[in-house]
C-alpha cells in the first residue's frame, strides 16, 4: 500500500530534550516536506527536499533540522525543543513533476512542556 | 513572500453548491492546489491548476485566474461528509509550497 508513515504519532517531551520525528514513504517520490499546523495559522512549511542530499528552508525553519540521506526517509530533528514548537506535524511526499499531488502522513502531535 | 487568503468558515445546506474563494500574491507561480482536511486527519489532495480555467472532477471543480491571483473551489451536490476544512495552497518557483489558513465548511441537513 502506497503510504507516508510518521513516528511517533504522539509525543510529550520537555524543553531542551533532543528529539527526532521520522518520516518514510514507499512511493519513490523525490519531493518530501515537513509542515506544522497550528490553530488560526494553518499549515506552514518547515523544510522541503527535492531529492537526496538537497534540502531547502520553508517558511518556518527556525529551531528545526532535516536530512535526506535516502530517498525514502526525511527525518525532522528538534535539537532543543521549546514550548512554542508544540504543534501538529505532518510529513508529505510527491513527485517533482508539475502536477505532483502531495501525500500526507497521519501526523505527529508534539507537546513540549 | 507569499500571501494566501481564504474565508475562515462557510455554512451550506445538504444538496446545495458552495464556492470557496482563494486569493494569492506570490513571487513566481508554479501551480495552485486544493486539499480537503477532515478534523483530526491529514489533508488529502483534491485538485491542481496551473493554467487559467476550470478543472472538473466529479462533484468538485476548481478554477484559476493567474492574472487576478484568484482561484475557487466549487463543491456541488453537497453531502454531509463534505463537512471539512478546505485548504488552498500555492507552489512558488523552486517548489516551496504555501498554504492558506483553510476554510471550514459546515454542511447542514
Amino acid at each position: 500500500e502506497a503510504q507516508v508513515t510518521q513516528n511517533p504519532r504522539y509525543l510529550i517531551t520537555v524543553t531542551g530534550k533532543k528529539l527526532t520525528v521520522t518520516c518514510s514513504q514507499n512511493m519513490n517520490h523525490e519531493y518530501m516536506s515537513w509542515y506544522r499546523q497550528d490553530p488560526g495559522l494553518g499549515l506552514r512549511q518547515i523544510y522541503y527536499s527535492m531529492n537526496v542530499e538537497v534540502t531547502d528552508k520553508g517558511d518556518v525553519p527556525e529551531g528545526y533540522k532535516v536530512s535526506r540521506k535516502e530517498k525514502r526517509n526525511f527525518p525532522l530533528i528538534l535539537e532543543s525543543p521549546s514550548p512554542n514548537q508544540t504543534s501538529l506535524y505532518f510529513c508529505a511526499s510527491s513527485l517533482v513533476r508539475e502536477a505532483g499531488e502531495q501525500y500526507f502522513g497521519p501526523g505527529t502531535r508534539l507537546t513540549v512542556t | 513572500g507569499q500571501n494566501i487568503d481564504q474565508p475562515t468558515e462557510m455554512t451550506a445546506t445538504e444538496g446545495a453548491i458552495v464556492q470557496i474563494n482563494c486569493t494569492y500574491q506570490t513571487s513566481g507561480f508554479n501551480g495552485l492546489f486544493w486539499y480537503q482536511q477532515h478534523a483530526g486527519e491529514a489533508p488529502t489532495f483534491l485538485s491542481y491548476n496551473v493554467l487559467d480555467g476550470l478543472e472538473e472532477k466529479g462533484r468538485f471543480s476548481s478554477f484559476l485566474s493567474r492574472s487576478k491571483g484568484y482561484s475557487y473551489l466549487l463543491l456541488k451536490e453537497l453531502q454531509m461528509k463534505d463537512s471539512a476544512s478546505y485548504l488552498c495552497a500555492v507552489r512558488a518557483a523552486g517548489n516551496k509550497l504555501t498554504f492558506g489558513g483553510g476554510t471550514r465548511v459546515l454542511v447542514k441537513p
Side-chain angles (χ1 to χ4, degrees):
Chain A
E1 179 192 354
Q3 60 182 349
V4 179
T5 56
Q6 294 178 228
N7 282 292
R9 294 289 313 280
Y10 302 91
L11 179 62
I12 301 174
T13 189
V14 296
T15 299
K17 187 176 181 183
K18 180 180 178 180
L19 66 93
T20 299
V21 185
T22 64
C23 173
S24 184
Q25 50 93 7
N26 62 0
M27 295 169 279
N28 203 35
H29 285 165
E30 303 97 347
Y31 187 92
M32 296 187 75
S33 182
W34 276 103
Y35 300 90
R36 60 178 290 175
Q37 188 170 37
D38 304 286
L41 296 175
L43 270 169
R44 292 180 292 167
Q45 192 173 47
I46 303 170
Y47 270 95
Y48 63 101
S49 168
M50 297 286 289
N51 214 325
V52 176
E53 302 293 1
V54 180
T55 62
D56 283 290
K57 294 178 181 179
D59 289 320
V60 288
E62 295 78 20
Y64 304 94
K65 284 175 57 177
V66 292
S67 69
R68 189 88 183 273
K69 293 185 171 57
E70 306 165 284
K71 198 171 187 180
R72 64 182 292 126
N73 295 323
F74 191 45
L76 179 70
I77 303 156
L78 284 71
E79 294 268 4
S80 183
S82 63
N84 65 13
Q85 292 179 299
T86 292
S87 187
L88 178 59
Y89 290 87
F90 287 104
C91 178
S93 74
S94 71
L95 295 171
V96 170
R97 65 180 169 81
E98 278 190 1
E101 65 181 86
Q102 287 195 100
Y103 292 82
F104 282 80
T108 295
R109 188 164 291 282
L110 172 66
T111 301
V112 184
T113 61
Chain B
Q2 298 181 94
N3 190 39
I4 300 174
D5 287 312
Q6 48 181 131
T8 305
E9 195 168 292
M10 301 180 76
T11 302
T13 305
E14 194 175 12
I17 299 173
V18 70
Q19 177 175 314
I20 305 169
N21 296 326
C22 171
T23 57
Y24 64 89
Q25 295 168 309
T26 181
S27 50
F29 178 81
N30 210 4
L32 186 142
F33 297 82
W34 284 95
Y35 284 83
Q36 180 190 59
Q37 186 178 25
H38 284 100
E41 298 182 9
T44 55
F45 172 81
L46 287 178
S47 70
Y48 168 76
N49 296 70
V50 67
L51 299 176
D52 290 353
L54 190 68
E55 293 282 340
E56 295 188 82
K57 225 183 206 184
R59 294 188 299 113
F60 294 0
S61 304
S62 57
F63 171 84
L64 175 67
S65 168
R66 288 171 298 169
S67 62
K68 294 182 180 177
Y70 169 70
S71 172
Y72 68 72
L73 179 70
L74 197 68
L75 286 61
K76 292 177 272 190
E77 300 168 21
L78 278 173
Q79 302 175 7
M80 298 301 291
K81 67 179 182 179
D82 297 330
S83 291
S85 288
Y86 292 85
L87 315 178
C88 172
V90 173
R91 188 163 65 188
N95 287 292
K96 185 175 170 181
L97 196 65
T98 300
F99 282 79
T103 299
R104 190 165 66 179
V105 171
L106 178 62
V107 180
K108 293 185 172 178

